[in-house]
């Protein structure tokens, strides 16, 4: 097998990235928990985040599928099948890297990565962005928050930076 | 960039440029073609095969002739259409396929041999003795412009996504009115046009609705933008794709990569206009023969009068207006009805006139129009059908998708006033002033008559193709290369299929058209490429422990999309890998197994579900147990292997192959939703959350015991294929006894943020015991020594579980499972199936080549299988190999011939397990 060590840069550190008109800040969350079940959305007690509403609460739940949420900074729960609530629960706190992106022109930024637009509401925050599966939502009018699977986080940031540098 | 019409009589910014080494002057807003025509240059290229002189036929995307290499500063681009490339100061243009110049091309002599160079010439002539003898020479002679050796710095396309309620394609009169109407109705409108200057053919009119064209266009665009509509100029809709996605490419200054816009439109209005089609007559390819529409455009947009004495040959009424405008501009126009006699152009590089039967009309320019052809490419991309209109002799949009409508000339409405009225009031009956007399190629007529100007396809070539039974238009296209020029048949396809219809004495619509495919115009590959370059093209998945591996001197290699340690330390890779294998067998190896899948399956039906998706019986597992098993496709083929752990009555974790995680997750999700109750089964991929550190070898138990002093990890208390859930430094950790090396092994999994701590702790405990880090290469050897397979390497697209020695579930498992039926077919039970075996070699020539074929040793050997994995085993100090061989299980001890690149060796078929065949070390 070919030694490709020199072909790939070292993994990105958790540093802030600043480009013209845009700042990418890594975010550390206390907890991320995947919860699935037919009632996962309807019985969720945390504020439910859809697109493109702004969610500024400390704890909330991302609607990512008709039967799935990602609880963010919610209370500690036991992993596994909850017989009473009929919910599948998995701690994925380290499974997703999270970034806040502050930018002037949010629609333009979103458009570089995929078919995501403020004018296009959705019950789910799950989006294919720059070819990566992500959860995208807003925590205020100028800041996007993005969750991307841990092992693809560097690649997604690289793609974003590359697209922005060109544009 | 200029976006106004040129007036050469008033002051315009002058642009200097050269063509084939000669200096010229153009005006801002010129295309290269219009500037050259204004300078009296007509020969701008040479045809592909015969090197006949070529001048522009059209004024925009329909021109097949004027193709150039253009340099501006340090940027050189090949094959730029001169009719659509806007002139810039300092441009250096060169003709392609001509040397030393288009005006005098040394290869023009090929035309003398045209009788022997007809369609199919290459296929028939260069077959003997071997095509490859001739291929280099032909390839050198063929082709148009050459790509510059210089790398274009910063030639990167911006890509973006957009959406709109209504996308109007084409800003001619009908498109402008359609866009205005939709915008003023409150719809989110985007209007795109490939010109910098909007208006389409409107400038050919003296007035429109009582206003000059400039005023009329300005009024429309002002109204559109005032109503909130967007206008994108220099933007071509090059294709319509699934789900109303329209590909838009927006051109910038020369040398900058175009921008790609993926536009999702709720509704698309196709106002793409129509193209003037050539008339097929003798020598109709001469420079100086233009389309009538092109002459009108050059005059209206670029202030270029193409000739002083013009023969206007047309079968339709649209030429009337052009005749008047040319006359007003100072030309003498001779009107010729092409339906009344055979035509033949007179002259070569410079036209002298046109014969009709025995009468010569003296002229320096010929304008021809065989009727307008609606530009229906996008309609066909979207799956729309075409209807034949006998009155207009054209294909017009027929039944199409609901989101798409055609207006104006694209819909066969060639009269501008009528087209506008129709857009404003679709239900109104429209009276058109357009009339034409059918005029198509006449097979058997005299002279060389061109169908495809660039590719030198003549009417005789079409006749030859028909004689040789290439009567389908698709076959005709491929046999003659008709329509394969860079204009993709915009000028030649209608004439070609009409000629074929005439030859077969069938109506044109029965012949049909070739397939319309994107892109509508040539688009640089870079447009699709965008930022997907270098490491962004196919990025690898990164381990959380990568920094630790780098610090330990890992050689990082790509395995199944992951960047993983292949081996550690400097020096020869094979020596390092050998040392790691020996260390693992002697003490222990520490391995980063984090990419292994951790896909949870939960819910009341979880047990039934995993029992269904696995070949093996899973339902009998107790919580705390692990089982090795296969997932099969519906065809019974091995899709993945791995272990499944039962965490509770309704909870399982599937640890699939590292490179198959995404595929297995989708596989599970598919079957969850198909044939099962998706409300009683949930699949959650937690792979990214967990890091896995594997310790394998005789000292593995001691290392884990030291790491987890409160746990009893003895062989008796902690048995193979079981797991425990406990804590390490306050963090939950799963410890699984699973082995892929044949030695006692432990997989330690905990959350990624603690991975470096665990890695460091295990390393510290292991090193005093003589253990150390191990990369994937060593692991591959360790598992091969035991005969453990890697799915996709030791299996192929036909391998079934019984081919690998796992035949029991097929005959014993009672519950339904995925792939079951396919395991009982005749093909699944034939005796000649490839089966997994080991291979031993007695000679001292080293390991067998992976991929080598196993044969019966005949002089004309036939493959009976192939080597799937092959190594020099450090443990056994001998070559070992795994192979898939026909009926292999019944051929133990048989000597076979191993053939590779013409060389042969002998090998003996044996059991695939070479090491610790009794499994004593597993519980050591």
């Amino acid at each position: 097998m070919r030694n490709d060590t020199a072909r790939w840069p070292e993994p990105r550190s958790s540093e802030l990235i600043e480009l013209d008109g845009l700042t990418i800040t890594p975010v550390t969350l206390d907890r991320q928990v995947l919860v699935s079940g037919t009632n996962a959305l309807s019985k969720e007690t945390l504020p439910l985040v859809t697109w493109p509403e702004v969610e500024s609460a400390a704890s909330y739940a991302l609607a990512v599928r008709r039967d799935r949420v990602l609880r963010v900074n919610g209370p500690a729960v036991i992993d596994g099948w909850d017989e009473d609530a009929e919910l599948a629960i998995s701690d994925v706190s380290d499974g997703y890297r999270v970034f806040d992106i502050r930018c002037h022109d949010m629609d333009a930024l979103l458009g570089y990565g995929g078919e995501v637009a403020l004018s296009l509401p959705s019950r789910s925050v799950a989006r294919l962005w720059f070819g990566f599966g992500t959860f995208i939502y807003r925590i205020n009018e100028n800041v996007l928050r993005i969750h991307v699977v841990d092992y693809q986080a560097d690649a997604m940031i690289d793609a974003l930076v590359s697209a922005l540098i060109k544009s | 960039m200029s976006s106004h019409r040129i007036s050469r009589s008033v002051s315009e910014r002058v642009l200097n440029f050269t063509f084939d080494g000669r200096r010229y002057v153009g005006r801002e807003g010129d295309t290269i073609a219009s500037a050259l025509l204004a300078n009296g240059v007509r020969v701008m290229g040479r045809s592909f095969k015969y090197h006949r002189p070529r001048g522009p036929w059209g004024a925009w995307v329909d021109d097949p002739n004027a193709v150039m290499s253009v340099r501006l500063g340090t940027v050189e681009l090949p094959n730029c259409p001169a009719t659509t490339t806007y002139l810039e100061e300092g441009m250096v243009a060169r003709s392609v396929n001509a040397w030393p110049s288009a005006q005098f091309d040394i290869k023009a002599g090929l035309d003398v041999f045209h009788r022997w160079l007809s369609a199919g010439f290459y296929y028939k002539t260069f077959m003997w003795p071997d095509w490859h003898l001739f291929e280099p020479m032909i390839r050198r002679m063929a082709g148009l412009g050459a790509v510059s050796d210089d790398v274009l710095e910063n030639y990167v396309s911006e890509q973006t996504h957009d959406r709109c309620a209504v996308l109007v394609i084409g800003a001619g009169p009908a498109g402008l009115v359609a866009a205005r109407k939709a915008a003023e109705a409150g719809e989110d409108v985007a209007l795109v046009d490939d010109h910098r200057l909007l208006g389409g053919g409107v400038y050919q009119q003296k007035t429109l609705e009582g206003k000059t064209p400039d005023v009329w266009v300005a009024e429309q665009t002002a109204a559109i933008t005032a109503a909130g509509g967007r206008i994108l100029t220099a933007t071509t809709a090059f294709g319509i794709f699934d789900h109303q996605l329209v590909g838009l490419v927006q051109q910038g200054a020369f040398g900058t990569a175009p921008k790609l816009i993926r536009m999702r439109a709720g509704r698309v209005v196709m106002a793409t206009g129509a193209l003037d089609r050539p008339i097929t007559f003798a020598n109709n390819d001469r420079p100086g023969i233009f389309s009538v529409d092109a002459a009108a455009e050059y005059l209206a947009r670029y202030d270029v009068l193409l000739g002083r004495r013009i023969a206007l040959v047309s079968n339709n009424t649209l030429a009337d207006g052009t005749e008047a405008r040319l006359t007003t501009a100072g030309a003498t126009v001779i009107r010729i009805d092409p339906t009344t006699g055979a035509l033949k152009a007179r002259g070569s590089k410079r036209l002298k006139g046109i014969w009709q039967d025995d009468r010569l009309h003296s002229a320096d320019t010929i304008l021809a129009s065989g009727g307008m052809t609606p530009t229906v490419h996008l309609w066909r991309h979207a799956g729309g059908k075409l209807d034949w209109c006998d009155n207009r002799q054209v294909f017009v949009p027929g039944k199409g998708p609901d989101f798409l409508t055609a207006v104006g000339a694209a819909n066969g409405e060639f009269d501008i006033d009528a087209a506008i009225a129709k857009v404003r009031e679709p239900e109104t009956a429209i009276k058109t002033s357009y009339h034409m007399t059918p005029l198509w190629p006449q097979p058997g007529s005299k002279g060389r008559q061109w169908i495809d100007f660039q590719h030198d396809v003549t009417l005789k070539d079409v006749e030859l193709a028909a004689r040789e039974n290439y009567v389908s238009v698709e076959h005709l296209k491929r046999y003659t290369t008709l329509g394969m020029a860079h204009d993709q048949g915009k000028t030649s396809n209608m004439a070609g299929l009409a000629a074929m219809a005439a030859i077969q004495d069938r109506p044109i619509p029965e012949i049909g058209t070739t397939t319309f495919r994107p892109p509508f115009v040539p688009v640089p590959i870079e447009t699709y490429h965008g930022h997907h370059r270098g490491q962004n093209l196919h990025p690898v998945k990164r381990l959380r422990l990568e920094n630790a591996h780098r610090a330990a001197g890992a050689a990082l290699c790509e395995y199944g999309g992951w960047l993983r340690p292949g081996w550690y330390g400097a020096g020869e890779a094979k020596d390092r890998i050998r040392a790691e294998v020996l260390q693992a067998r002697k003490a222990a190896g520490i391995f980063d197994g984090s990419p292994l899948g951790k896909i949870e399956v939960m819910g009341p039906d979880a047990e039934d579900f995993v029992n269904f998706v696995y070949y093996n019986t899973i339902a009998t597992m107790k919580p705390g147990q692990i089982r090795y098993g296969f997932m099969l496709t519906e065809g019974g083929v091995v899709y993945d292997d791995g272990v499944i752990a039962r965490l509770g009555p309704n909870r399982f974790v599937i640890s699939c192959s590292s490179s198959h995680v995404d595929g297995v997750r989708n596989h599970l999700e598919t079957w969850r939703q198909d044939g099962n109750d998706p409300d009683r089964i949930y699949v959650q991929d937690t792979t990214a959350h967990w890091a896995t550190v594997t310790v394998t070898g005789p000292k593995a138990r001691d290392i884990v015991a030291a790491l987890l002093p409160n746990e009893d990890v003895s062989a008796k208390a902690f048995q193979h294929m079981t797991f425990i859930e406990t804590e390490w430094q306050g963090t939950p950790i799963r410890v699984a006894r699973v082995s892929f090396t044949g030695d006692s092994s432990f997989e330690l999994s905990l959350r990624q943020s603690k991975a470096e701590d665990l890695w460091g702790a295990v390393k510290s405990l292991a090193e005093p015991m003589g253990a150390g880090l191990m990369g994937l290469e060593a692991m591959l050897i360790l598992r091969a020594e035991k005969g453990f397979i890697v799915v996709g390497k030791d299996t192929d697209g036909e391998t079934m579980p019984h081919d690998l020695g796992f035949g029991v579930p097929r005959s014993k498992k009672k519950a339904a499972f995925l792939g079951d039926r396919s395991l009982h077919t005749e093909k699944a039970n034939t005796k000649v199936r490839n089966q997994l075996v080991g291979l031993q070699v007695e000679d001292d020539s080293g390991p067998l080549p992976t991929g080598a074929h196993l044969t019966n040793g005949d002089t004309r050997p036939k493959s009976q299988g192939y080597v799937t994995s092959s190594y020099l085993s450090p443990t056994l100090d001998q070559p070992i190999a795994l192979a898939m061989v026909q009926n292999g299980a019944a051929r133990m001890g048989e000597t076979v011939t191993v053939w590779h690149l013409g060389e042969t060796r002998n090998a003996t078929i044996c059991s695939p397990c070479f090491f610790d065949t009794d499994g004593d070390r597993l519980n050591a």
Side-chain angles (χ1 to χ4, degrees):
Chain A
M1 186 60 74
R2 189 182 63 196
N3 182 354
D4 279 350
T5 310
R7 287 173 177 258
W8 296 91
E10 291 184 16
R12 285 183 178 275
S13 58
S14 300
E15 289 174 359
L16 176 144
I17 299 169
E18 284 187 289
L19 297 168
D20 187 26
L22 180 138
T23 310
I24 304 170
T25 311
V27 177
T28 303
L29 300 172
D30 291 339
R31 188 173 294 109
Q32 300 181 75
V33 178
L34 270 184
V35 179
S36 299
T38 47
N39 302 320
L41 274 73
S42 60
K43 293 202 171 171
E44 181 56 57
T45 55
L46 295 173
L48 206 57
V49 181
T50 58
W51 178 258
E53 282 76 33
V54 172
E55 182 54 64
S56 55
S59 302
Y60 46 86
L62 307 178
V64 296
R65 225 168 67 173
R66 67 172 182 83
D67 57 0
R68 179 169 293 170
V69 297
L70 180 77
R71 287 185 190 156
V72 177
N73 291 340
V77 287
I78 298 170
D79 274 18
W81 177 250
D82 184 331
E83 200 75 52
D84 296 331
E86 297 185 319
L87 294 172
I89 299 169
S90 302
D91 182 12
V92 288
S93 296
D94 291 348
Y96 294 97
R97 294 249 288 279
V98 184
F99 303 90
D100 282 352
I101 303 180
R102 177 179 294 278
C103 61
H104 301 315
D105 189 347
M106 199 173 278
D107 253 340
L109 172 72
L110 291 165
Y112 288 126
E115 290 191 67
V116 193
L118 294 173
S119 59
L120 190 66
S122 170
R123 288 186 66 200
S124 169
V125 299
R127 290 289 185 281
L128 199 66
W129 207 52
F130 286 102
F132 302 97
T134 60
F135 303 143
I136 301 181
Y137 55 103
R138 294 197 295 169
I139 58 169
N140 70 44
E141 293 294 333
N142 297 315
V143 179
L144 290 170
R145 180 163 286 179
I146 295 183
H147 299 234
V148 60
V149 73
D150 178 78
Y151 47 74
Q152 291 181 321
D154 275 13
M156 193 212 72
I157 294 296
D158 287 344
L160 167 62
V161 170
S162 174
L164 289 174
I165 287 173
K166 168 57 194 169
S167 61
Chain B
M1 288 186 288
S2 170
S3 59
H4 62 278
R5 288 198 288 160
I6 294 174
S7 172
R8 293 180 193 278
S9 58
V10 298
S11 177
E12 293 276 350
R13 187 180 163 219
V14 171
L15 302 175
N16 297 287
F17 72 107
T18 68
F19 172 62
D20 276 351
R22 294 192 63 179
R23 294 177 182 279
Y24 298 99
V25 171
R27 295 287 191 278
E28 188 168 26
D30 261 328
T31 61
I32 296 176
S34 70
L36 286 172
L37 289 168
N39 281 278
V41 178
R42 284 191 167 175
V43 180
M44 298 187 196
R46 290 278 166 166
S47 64
F48 190 78
K49 187 161 69 171
Y50 300 135
H51 286 252
R52 301 257 296 188
R54 288 284 181 263
W57 154 262
W60 196 239
V61 293
D62 56 329
D63 180 62
N65 291 334
V67 184
M68 298 176 182
S69 286
V70 180
R71 175 174 279 274
L72 181 65
T74 58
V75 176
E76 179 164 333
L77 298 178
N79 301 335
C80 301
T83 52
T84 57
T85 303
Y86 285 104
L87 190 66
E88 293 189 29
E89 172 66 25
M91 271 184 166
V92 177
R94 284 185 294 106
S95 53
V96 298
N97 201 34
W99 190 87
S101 68
Q103 185 66 27
F104 177 78
D105 177 21
I106 202 162
K107 290 181 187 168
L110 281 170
D111 194 34
V112 175
F113 304 101
H114 69 86
R115 289 179 190 284
W116 296 278
L117 297 174
S118 57
F121 163 73
Y122 302 101
Y123 315 133
K124 296 168 184 169
T125 308
F126 298 114
M127 296 302 291
W128 185 90
D130 187 345
W131 153 253
H132 297 290
L133 283 176
F134 307 99
E135 185 184 2
M137 177 190 68
I138 292 171
R139 289 202 184 281
R140 271 198 303 277
M141 291 179 69
L144 299 174
V147 177
S148 166
D149 291 334
D150 300 332
V151 174
L152 289 180
E153 298 292 344
N154 300 319
Y155 191 79
V156 180
S157 274
E158 182 182 338
Q159 297 189 348
T160 190
H161 301 75
D162 207 342
R163 58 191 307 115
C164 62
V166 182
L167 175 67
V168 180
I169 303 170
L176 284 165
V177 170
R180 179 176 179 173
K181 182 181 175 186
E184 290 181 339
E187 295 194 270
D188 173 22
V189 173
L191 170 66
V192 300
D193 193 272
D194 50 4
H195 283 87
R196 289 179 182 171
L197 177 65
L198 304 182
V202 73
Y203 303 106
Q204 298 177 23
Q205 309 297 310
K206 191 173 181 182
T207 60
L208 185 59
E209 299 185 321
K211 302 179 177 90
T212 64
D214 294 297
V215 171
W216 187 86
V217 171
E219 276 186 12
Q220 307 310 314
T221 53
I224 292 165
T225 50
R230 291 175 285 164
I231 298 175
L232 301 173
T233 58
T235 304
T236 307
F238 65 83
I240 295 183
F241 305 89
D242 289 348
H243 307 294
Q244 292 148 255
L245 180 72
V246 183
L248 304 178
V249 61
Q250 188 173 41
Q251 301 290 343
F254 181 83
T256 60
K259 176 180 177 180
L260 174 69
I261 303 167
R262 297 184 178 95
M263 180 68 83
R264 190 78 66 180
R267 191 157 66 82
V268 176
V269 179
M270 195 183 84
T272 46
L275 303 174
D276 207 350
R277 59 182 181 243
I279 296 175
T280 308
F281 58 91
N283 290 341
N284 61 337
D285 66 325
R286 293 300 189 194
I289 302 178
F290 303 86
S291 74
V292 172
D293 183 64
E297 279 293 281
Y298 281 119
L299 184 61
R301 280 183 177 261
Y302 308 106
D303 200 13
V304 177
L305 181 62
L306 291 179
R308 288 289 165 189
R309 187 172 176 81
I310 297 173
L312 199 160
V313 188
S314 172
N315 66 337
N316 62 77
T317 51
L318 284 181
D320 300 347
T322 305
E323 179 183 359
R325 286 184 288 281
L326 292 170
T327 305
T328 305
T332 302
V333 179
I334 307 135
R335 191 71 182 261
I336 297 171
D337 182 353
T339 62
T340 56
L343 300 167
K344 181 180 181 181
R346 181 165 180 261
S348 179
K349 292 176 189 171
R350 184 163 292 277
L351 274 178
K352 293 179 178 170
I354 184 166
W355 290 95
Q356 186 167 43
D357 295 330
D358 296 331
R359 185 178 175 191
L360 174 65
H361 301 277
S362 174
D364 57 20
T365 303
I366 298 172
L367 305 184
S369 173
M372 302 302 284
T373 300
T375 312
V376 293
H377 299 65
L378 297 176
W379 188 266
R380 292 292 294 127
H381 295 175
K385 305 291 183 194
L386 299 177
D387 292 337
W388 176 253
C389 173
D390 229 21
N391 286 338
R392 291 166 288 183
Q393 293 284 292
V394 289
F395 285 107
V396 291
K399 185 174 170 49
D402 292 341
F403 73 88
L404 186 62
T405 51
V407 297
N411 201 34
E413 292 141 8
F414 304 127
D415 182 315
I416 289 183
D417 294 326
I420 291 174
K422 182 93 174 166
V423 173
R424 289 194 177 123
E425 297 294 337
E427 305 305 323
T428 308
I430 301 298
K431 198 172 179 184
T432 179
S433 61
Y434 177 77
H435 297 288
M436 60 96 69
T437 307
L439 179 66
W440 296 107
Q442 299 294 316
S445 51
K446 288 182 181 175
R448 298 172 72 190
Q449 305 186 20
W450 264 257
I451 302 287
D452 187 314
F453 294 133
Q454 188 184 92
H455 270 210
D456 280 326
V457 180
T458 63
L459 181 57
K460 284 191 166 46
D461 290 320
V462 178
E463 294 173 287
L464 175 66
R467 283 202 302 277
E468 298 187 348
N469 208 28
Y470 293 101
V471 291
S472 153
V473 282
E474 296 288 4
H475 292 160
L476 169 68
K477 172 180 176 176
R478 282 148 186 87
Y479 188 61
T480 62
T481 74
L482 188 155
M484 291 188 181
H486 84 270
D487 74 319
Q488 290 287 285
K490 290 185 180 70
T491 51
S492 59
N493 276 357
M494 283 301 293
L497 68 93
M500 184 56 80
I503 292 165
Q504 296 183 52
D505 196 20
R506 294 167 63 192
I508 289 174
E510 272 189 27
I511 297 294
T513 65
T514 52
T515 306
F516 293 79
R517 294 188 179 89
F520 171 67
V521 292
V523 172
I525 297 293
E526 169 54 36
T527 313
Y528 305 106
H529 195 208
H531 67 272
H532 297 283
R533 59 179 60 241
Q535 292 173 354
N536 293 325
L537 183 62
H538 183 63
V540 288
K541 296 174 179 173
R542 312 295 285 263
L543 295 166
R544 189 67 82 93
L545 286 170
E546 185 178 322
N547 283 330
H549 297 317
R550 286 177 181 265
L556 297 170
C557 316
E558 185 184 339
Y559 297 94
W562 286 86
L563 194 64
R564 306 180 69 179
W567 60 92
Y568 292 86
E572 281 287 319
K574 65 178 182 181
D575 296 336
R576 299 304 312 153
I577 295 162
R578 176 183 168 80
E580 288 173 12
V581 171
L582 291 173
Q583 186 178 49
R585 289 289 186 217
K586 189 178 175 186
I590 305 164
F591 176 74
D592 184 356
S594 300
L596 285 167
K598 291 105 183 169
I599 301 174
E600 297 206 26
V601 179
M602 288 184 265
D605 289 356
E607 179 185 290
D608 290 343
F609 179 63
V610 291
N611 205 43
F612 169 72
V613 294
Y614 268 94
Y615 170 61
N616 316 67
T617 299
I618 306 299
T620 54
M621 287 175 67
K622 302 281 185 287
Q625 287 186 332
I626 296 171
R627 190 160 290 173
Y628 175 79
F630 292 118
M631 282 187 204
L632 310 182
T633 66
E634 280 183 285
V637 171
V638 175
Y639 177 66
D640 187 64
D641 72 335
V643 296
I644 177 169
R646 186 163 200 167
L647 277 71
N650 296 325
R651 187 183 183 198
F652 297 81
V653 174
I654 290 172
S655 180
C656 56
S657 310
S658 301
S659 58
H660 291 174
V661 174
D662 295 338
V664 167
R665 182 185 61 238
N666 292 340
H667 180 76
L668 293 171
E669 196 61 60
T670 299
W671 287 104
R672 168 185 170 256
Q673 297 179 31
D674 187 354
N676 290 280
D677 184 348
D679 292 339
R680 294 173 62 83
I681 307 157
Y682 294 95
V683 178
Q684 299 195 144
D685 184 2
T686 65
T687 304
H689 174 72
W690 295 89
T692 300
V693 176
T694 302
V695 190
T696 178
K699 299 281 187 186
R701 193 182 309 280
D702 297 338
I703 296 166
V704 175
L707 185 80
L708 302 167
N710 297 328
E711 299 293 334
D712 181 358
V713 296
S714 64
K716 189 175 178 185
F718 192 2
Q719 295 187 355
H720 181 56
M721 300 305 272
T722 63
F723 71 95
I724 56 172
E725 292 183 278
T726 181
E727 285 193 349
W728 178 74
Q729 294 186 351
T731 302
I733 186 169
R734 289 179 191 156
V735 185
R737 276 213 57 202
V738 184
S739 179
F740 48 80
T741 64
D743 274 315
S744 181
S745 302
F746 296 81
E747 288 184 355
L748 309 163
S749 299
L750 85 178
R751 60 185 299 176
Q752 291 275 11
S753 53
K754 295 288 183 182
E756 286 210 35
D757 295 343
L758 178 66
W759 182 256
V762 171
K763 196 162 161 267
S764 300
L765 293 168
E767 282 171 352
M769 298 185 202
L773 305 183
M774 180 178 93
L776 208 71
E777 292 297 320
M779 192 277 282
L780 290 169
I781 296 175
L782 290 167
R783 63 94 203 168
E785 288 176 344
K786 281 294 292 181
F788 294 163
I789 62 158
V790 174
V791 171
K793 185 174 194 296
D794 299 305
T795 67
D796 60 25
E798 293 191 343
T799 305
M800 292 177 163
H802 52 282
D803 300 327
L804 304 169
F806 292 83
V808 173
R810 184 171 67 136
S811 53
K812 302 284 187 189
K813 186 173 177 179
K814 290 194 168 55
F817 64 93
L818 188 53
D820 184 12
R821 182 180 290 183
S822 300
L823 299 181
H824 299 283
T825 61
E826 186 179 347
K827 183 175 173 58
N829 290 283
T830 175
K831 284 187 176 177
V832 292
R833 292 190 63 80
N834 282 357
Q835 294 172 330
L836 180 72
V837 297
L839 291 176
Q840 282 184 319
V841 288
E842 305 299 333
D843 61 38
D844 55 0
S845 299
L848 297 168
T850 300
H853 286 272
L854 308 179
T855 74
N856 52 7
D858 289 352
T859 49
R860 297 192 66 183
K862 187 179 176 187
S863 178
Q864 297 182 345
Y866 57 94
V867 178
T868 60
S869 294
S870 179
Y871 303 97
L872 180 62
S873 164
T875 312
L876 304 169
D877 200 23
Q878 68 176 56
I880 59 168
L882 301 178
M884 294 296 288
V885 186
Q886 283 177 11
N887 199 23
R891 296 171 65 181
M892 293 295 155
E894 183 179 326
T895 299
V896 290
T897 301
V898 183
W899 184 96
H900 183 66
L901 299 177
E903 295 187 358
T904 58
R905 292 168 66 185
N906 287 333
T908 305
I909 295 176
C910 63
S911 160
C913 181
F914 295 90
F915 178 69
D916 187 29
T917 52
D918 295 332
D920 296 334
R921 292 171 65 104
L922 201 60
N923 291 305

